[in-house]
Amino acid sequence: MVYLRNSSRRLERKIDRENQYMNMMRSQRDGEAWYTIYRTYDEVQDKLEEIASSNSIATLINLGSSYENRSIRGIKFSTGGNNKPAVFFNGCQHAREWVTVMATTYLADQLSQNYTSDNFIQNLLNIVDVYIVPIVNPDGYVYSHTTDRYWRKNRQPNPGSSYVGTDLNRNWDADWNGGQSTSTSPSSDIYVGAYPFSAYEANVLKNYMQSIPNLLGHLDIHSYSALVLGPWGYTNIQTPDHAEVVSLGNAMNNAITNTNGYPFTFGTGDANGSLYLASGTMPDWSYDGLGALGYTYELRPNSASGGGFELPESQILDACEENYNGAMEMIIWAADIQAGCTDPSACN
Ligand code: 0X9
Ligand code: ZN
């Protein structure tokens, strides 16, 4: 009898432990489940609030309002202090590039979770301030969910025209309207706008980014083509920082490619013909106007036949992981340049 009672208690304890383990696994899966389908603007706002409220160094930031008065929000990770090296990551200048919203939200989510569990991430975030804004074109994003899946521009009317919208990634003051993949016609998907920063959202972003004192790096996340693109975007001429642009670009490209074995290509300009040159883009402005190294990512897929702007939902998580590893390289690089610090895990 005694033996039976003991063994049934042991069995109960074993079952309890198994249940605990299963609950833990389930909650991890639930966390990842968010990234198995595309999410709306409202769902992303809820997720950002959840991230900010669950992490002591994460703050919900509101950069300003879109033309239709939606908030352009994000997460700032900072342990405080002045003039720390900073990096800025954004998704969704182009409304239809939905995977960029998932990937940037995932980046914030993972940094937040890993901060509490991973010493290396904790050390990095003690050194570098990280800004993440998943949806910089909220009106276009909502419109691509409700009305036109392939909408690209913002939703600002153009005086004298019935055509709506400016291509945000042609409205920046770096070779603005320079003729590389640009149009002065409001009917065009690559309409440059009336003047640099005429688009509400580009203007809000410019003001916010200018207010960050020590911005070293910027990633403007797009899809699709599986590319990492360094400055310049408007010309094949090399920047004065070419060696560093290439070194960080290759590091990010390798980290992305090695994540799941899905090959990305790095290049500057038109990346040896892999893409095209473009005038008035955001990363060229963050380089030219702010002195930050500004890159474009073009996430999965690498071709139209792989889904184009509609990357299959079964691949969202893979794309998120790839983007996370690429962005980590930029954070590590920013920590490394901190004077006198070559080992981010050793300095504070
Ligand atoms: O055209 C764009 O704005 C970007 N491509 S997308 O398909 N996402 O629209 C690429 C712009 C950056 N181009 C270069 N750096 N060459
Ligand atoms: Zn794009």
Side-chain angles (χ1 to χ4, degrees):
M1 275 306 275
V2 170
Y3 169 76
L4 268 180
R5 256 205 316 275
N6 280 347
S7 84
S8 81
R9 273 205 209 98
R10 263 202 304 277
L11 188 62
E12 269 170 36
R13 278 201 298 272
K14 191 166 179 242
I15 290 170
D16 281 350
R17 274 200 304 275
E18 275 175 3
N19 279 339
Q20 271 172 19
Y21 179 74
M22 277 161 65
N23 283 337
M24 191 187 82
M25 294 305 283
R26 197 172 292 125
S27 77
Q28 276 180 9
R29 267 206 310 276
D30 288 350
E32 295 208 330
W34 199 89
Y35 300 92
T36 56
I37 55 170
Y38 289 110
R39 300 291 176 176
T40 63
Y41 171 81
D42 288 336
E43 288 175 312
V44 173
Q45 305 314 299
D46 290 347
K47 181 53 107 182
L48 294 178
E49 279 169 27
E50 182 192 311
I51 294 168
S53 64
S54 62
N55 185 302
S56 60
I57 69 154
T59 321
L60 193 64
I61 51 172
N62 186 356
L63 287 72
S65 297
S66 67
Y67 175 77
E68 290 175 347
N69 211 23
R70 289 186 181 86
S71 296
I72 301 172
R73 294 156 102 201
I75 298 282
K76 174 184 177 183
F77 291 96
S78 178
T79 55
N82 295 322
N83 241 42
K84 286 164 78 176
V87 292
F88 187 97
F89 305 135
N90 68 272
C92 205
Q93 278 204 86
H94 292 143
R96 61 194 174 195
E97 298 167 12
W98 288 7
V99 69
T100 72
V101 173
M102 305 303 292
T104 43
T105 306
Y106 180 86
L107 175 58
D109 205 349
Q110 283 298 115
L111 282 179
S112 171
Q113 288 178 36
N114 293 345
Y115 180 75
T116 36
S117 61
D118 184 329
N119 270 336
F120 181 69
I121 304 287
Q122 215 169 86
N123 286 329
L124 276 181
L125 294 181
N126 283 337
I127 301 166
V128 182
D129 285 352
V130 178
Y131 297 80
I132 302 171
V133 186
I135 308 175
V136 298
N137 177 10
D139 303 347
Y141 189 63
V142 169
Y143 193 74
S144 76
H145 277 260
T146 58
T147 312
D148 178 355
R149 175 66 185 82
Y150 284 93
W151 191 256
R152 168 177 166 104
K153 301 186 284 181
N154 75 351
R155 291 294 303 162
Q156 192 171 335
N158 294 303
S161 169
S162 59
Y163 290 100
V164 171
T166 295
D167 183 349
L168 294 185
N169 206 31
R170 297 293 180 277
N171 193 233
W172 296 78
D173 197 8
D175 194 43
W176 179 79
N177 194 23
Q180 298 295 346
S181 176
T182 58
S183 170
T184 51
S185 171
S187 66
S188 169
D189 248 356
I190 47 173
Y191 176 50
V192 296
Y195 49 87
F197 305 115
S198 58
Y200 269 51
E201 299 79 10
N203 192 50
V204 164
L205 282 162
K206 174 196 75 161
N207 289 335
Y208 192 88
M209 291 171 82
Q210 278 177 335
S211 77
I212 302 171
N214 191 10
L215 190 68
L216 300 182
H218 166 225
L219 295 179
D220 178 27
I221 318 289
H222 290 250
S223 69
Y224 63 95
S225 289
L227 295 170
V228 173
L229 301 163
W232 301 107
Y234 77 92
T235 173
N236 279 319
I237 295 170
Q238 298 177 356
T239 69
D241 298 301
H242 191 67
E244 190 154 27
V245 166
V246 170
S247 148
L248 175 57
N250 279 329
M252 295 194 291
N253 197 73
N254 290 340
I256 294 170
T257 297
N258 291 336
T259 305
N260 298 306
Y262 193 94
F264 274 53
T265 304
F266 166 73
T268 60
D270 67 1
N272 292 315
S274 300
L275 200 62
Y276 45 82
L277 300 172
S279 302
T281 63
M282 183 183 191
D284 274 2
W285 179 83
S286 53
Y287 178 65
D288 190 37
L290 298 178
L293 290 199
Y295 291 80
T296 304
Y297 282 3
E298 298 280 0
L299 301 183
R300 289 184 184 214
N302 55 20
S303 67
S305 63
F309 298 112
E310 294 171 290
L311 179 73
E313 289 180 318
S314 58
Q315 289 183 47
I316 295 174
L317 254 173
D318 285 343
C320 289
E321 290 164 3
E322 286 156 7
N323 181 69
Y324 176 86
N325 286 333
M328 279 301 300
E329 287 299 319
M330 181 173 266
I331 301 174
I332 293 168
W333 164 84
D336 275 349
I337 345 185
Q338 180 74 335
C341 177
T342 50
D343 177 3
S345 62
C347 53
N348 46 43

